[in-house]
Amino acid sequence: MHRVLGSVLISSEQIQRRNAELGRQISADYAGGAVTIVAILKGSFLFLADMIRQISPEIPVEVDFMAVSSYGNGTTSTGTVRIEKDLEVTVAGRDIIVVEDIVDTGLTLYQVDRILAGRGARTIRVATLLEKPGNSKYERKIDYVGFQIPNAFVVGYGLDYAQRYRNLPDIRVLDEI
Ligand code: 5GP
C-alpha cells in the first residue's frame, strides 16, 4: 500500500475565514475574563497560531503546550495516550480552552480533559480545527469546531502523515493507491 496526496478538502482561504469566525466567537464568550489555551502538539500549531490572532486583544490569553501520543506513525488509533510533554502553566482555577487539530475517536480529548479537570481547571472548553462526526466514543461537547469532515485520513495545515505534510497551507485527503 502506498499513500499519496489527494484533492484539497478545505482551502487555506476557507480555513482563515473560519479562524476569524472562531476568534470572534471566543472573544464574545470570554469578554471580561481571561483564557488559558492548552494546545495539543504537534498538529494544532498552525490552527493555534492563526486562530489566537483573531481573539480580541482585550482578553488576556495564556498559551501553553501539551504533547500526547496515541497514533505513532500509523493511521489508526492504538487506544492509549501517553504524555510526552507536560504543561508549565497553572491549571487550577483557570478557564481553559483545549486546542486540537482533529477529534476522531475522542480518546486524546477524553484523556486531556481528565488530566486538566484533575488539576482543578475551573472550566474546560474545546476548540478543534476538524471533527470527524460520529466517530467519537465519548459524550463530550466540542465548543468550537472549525470544520466537520468525512471519515478520511487528512493532512496539511499542521496535520501530518509520518511527520510529513504539516507545511501544506490547506487540508488534503491522503489517498491509498
Ligand atoms: P483521537 O484521539 O480523537 O482518535 O485522535 C486525535 C488525534 O489523532 C489527532 O490529534 C491527530 O493527531 C490524529 N488523527 C486522527 N485523525 C487524523 C487524520 O485524519 N489525519 C491526521 N493527520 N491525524 C489524525
Side-chain angles (χ1 to χ4, degrees):
M1 188 184 64
H2 194 61
R3 288 178 182 272
V4 292
L5 264 189
S7 53
V8 172
L9 191 63
I10 307 167
S11 70
S12 70
E13 291 76 16
Q14 286 175 292
I15 295 169
Q16 295 313 337
R17 268 201 303 276
R18 190 72 186 117
N19 283 340
E21 289 170 0
L22 292 177
R24 274 197 295 276
Q25 207 181 329
I26 289 170
S27 302
D29 291 350
Y30 289 85
V35 64
T36 298
I37 299 217
V38 171
I40 309 302
L41 291 172
K42 298 178 188 171
S44 67
F45 77 106
L46 288 180
F47 173 49
L48 171 80
D50 287 339
M51 189 272 282
I52 62 171
R53 281 181 283 179
Q54 303 292 334
I55 298 176
S56 162
E58 305 293 310
I59 298 170
V61 175
E62 259 187 343
V63 180
D64 203 357
F65 300 91
M66 237 179 139
V68 296
S69 66
S70 65
Y71 264 56
N73 277 346
T75 56
T76 53
S77 176
T78 58
T80 56
V81 161
R82 197 173 62 222
I83 298 182
E84 309 278 1
K85 185 218 170 287
D86 210 340
L87 297 169
E88 291 165 15
V89 292
T90 306
V91 168
R94 301 291 164 91
D95 294 309
I96 309 270
I97 301 179
V98 177
V99 173
E100 269 259 44
D101 53 355
I102 183 164
V103 176
D104 183 12
T105 66
L107 174 72
T108 308
L109 192 54
Y110 172 76
Q111 300 286 11
V112 169
D113 227 357
R114 276 188 38 201
I115 293 164
L116 298 177
R119 292 180 188 177
R122 198 166 82 93
T123 60
I124 306 172
R125 287 185 179 167
V126 178
T128 186
L129 174 67
L130 305 173
E131 182 191 20
K132 293 181 183 172
N135 278 11
S136 180
K137 299 185 173 75
Y138 306 92
E139 298 280 319
R140 206 305 171 199
K141 182 184 172 209
I142 307 204
D143 306 273
Y144 310 103
V145 178
F147 302 90
Q148 295 192 323
I149 62 164
N151 206 0
F153 193 81
V154 294
V155 295
Y157 193 66
L159 286 92
D160 75 310
Y161 173 63
Q163 302 303 329
R164 207 181 148 184
Y165 304 122
R166 294 193 197 275
N167 56 314
L168 302 181
D170 33 38
I171 304 283
R172 289 187 180 216
V173 175
L174 200 64
D175 287 331
E176 292 179 8
I177 55 167

